[in-house]
Amino acid sequence: QVQVVQSGAEVKKPGASLKVSCKASGYTFPIYYIHWVRQAPGQGLEWMGLINPSGGTTSYAQMFQGRVTMTRDTSTSTVYMELSSLRSEDTAVYYCARDKGPYGDYYFDYWGQGTLVTVSS
Amino acid sequence: QSALTQPASVSGSPGQSITISCTGTISDVGTYNYVSWYQQHPGKAPKLMIYEVTNRPSGVSNRFSASKSGNTASLTISGLQAEDEADYYCSSYTRSSSWVFGGGTKLTVL
């Protein structure tokens, strides 16, 4: 069965960097894009970007350009999201989510459990 | 990219029907049929309920239906049940090759 499992909660200081992992299993890893979505406390969902695990190509939301980097390790079926220059407004639950269909789709059907990131001095 | 506009809250009694609207622009909902809806219970990850405007994934109750007209998409839940109480988010692909979500609607089953 398809599973998407994220790394655990983190506490970071302002200005630091964050790296969250998302390990996939139960399907052909390279052919399903992975998206990252975050949710600040009590707020809505915000799309951050996506990675094509096959070639490693990425697409980032404009508001995160220059601060976010998504990578993958095909040998372990794991995707990573790194966010730099953290500020308090980055405190949120970060989710990875798989595309519903292969080779690029428009919906997210399998979600990780979420990773709570707290940015505080 | 501004968030899609949803009502902050809706409510209904068990057995009743409710509709949640999701208003975007010509750059997203109005141009693409790549509209989806997600249900999120407190402390849980979102769950895909509707994709491609009207389609239900396998396992989602047929009490959930959806439509789109112009720049506005709508989700209808009929025969409300206590377990439907959750937050609901719409999402659309955009002309900028990105995705945008609605602000979310809290559904209360009275």
Side-chain angles (χ1 to χ4, degrees):
Chain A
Q1 71 284 20
V2 175
Q3 285 194 308
V4 181
V5 180
Q6 299 181 222
S7 48
E10 303 215 39
V11 179
K12 295 290 185 180
K13 292 195 182 304
S17 291
L18 160 75
K19 192 169 187 177
V20 180
S21 68
C22 171
K23 183 172 175 61
S25 62
Y27 69 94
T28 305
F29 175 73
I31 66 174
Y32 288 83
Y33 293 11
I34 295 285
H35 299 250
W36 288 89
V37 175
R38 77 176 185 181
Q39 185 172 36
Q43 302 300 308
L45 303 171
E46 182 173 38
W47 184 78
M48 299 180 67
L50 66 83
I51 183 167
N52 174 353
S54 177
T57 54
T58 56
S59 177
Y60 303 137
Q62 189 169 0
M63 73 170 292
F64 297 103
Q65 291 273 5
R67 243 186 5 122
V68 70
T69 303
M70 296 176 188
T71 57
R72 92 292 189 215
D73 181 345
T74 54
S75 69
T76 60
S77 300
T78 302
V79 168
Y80 300 91
M81 188 281 296
E82 188 164 10
L83 188 63
S84 62
S85 303
L86 291 171
R87 34 205 187 234
S88 58
E89 309 90 88
D90 294 318
T91 293
V93 175
Y94 289 76
Y95 293 101
C96 60
R98 194 198 78 165
D99 258 354
K100 182 179 181 302
Y103 310 113
D105 205 347
Y106 303 93
Y107 322 103
F108 320 131
D109 64 348
Y110 286 95
W111 294 66
Q113 81 277 21
T115 297
L116 175 61
V117 174
T118 304
V119 182
S120 173
S121 55
Chain B
Q1 183 71 47
S2 299
L4 306 176
T5 301
Q6 298 181 231
S9 63
V10 298
S11 62
S13 299
Q16 290 186 330
S17 295
I18 63 95
T19 296
I20 300 171
S21 61
C22 167
T23 301
T25 68
I26 195 67
S27 296
D28 38 65
V29 177
T31 293
Y32 300 99
N33 285 328
Y34 303 134
V35 177
S36 52
W37 290 89
Y38 298 86
Q39 176 192 66
Q40 186 180 35
H41 287 108
K44 299 295 187 181
K47 174 187 176 183
L48 179 65
M49 303 300 284
I50 296 286
Y51 67 97
E52 202 169 15
V53 180
T54 61
N55 297 315
R56 284 188 310 277
S58 174
V60 172
S61 170
N62 59 10
R63 296 185 298 104
F64 291 83
S65 62
S67 62
K68 189 189 88 166
S69 177
N71 295 340
T72 299
S74 299
L75 173 71
T76 297
I77 309 174
S78 59
L80 270 180
Q81 299 180 359
E83 68 208 46
D84 300 332
E85 186 162 293
D87 293 326
Y88 290 85
Y89 294 90
C90 59
S91 176
S92 177
Y93 182 68
T94 81
R95 192 174 288 173
S96 305
S97 300
S98 63
W99 278 258
V100 63
F101 287 94
T105 299
K106 181 177 179 60
L107 168 62
T108 301
V109 180
L110 302 171

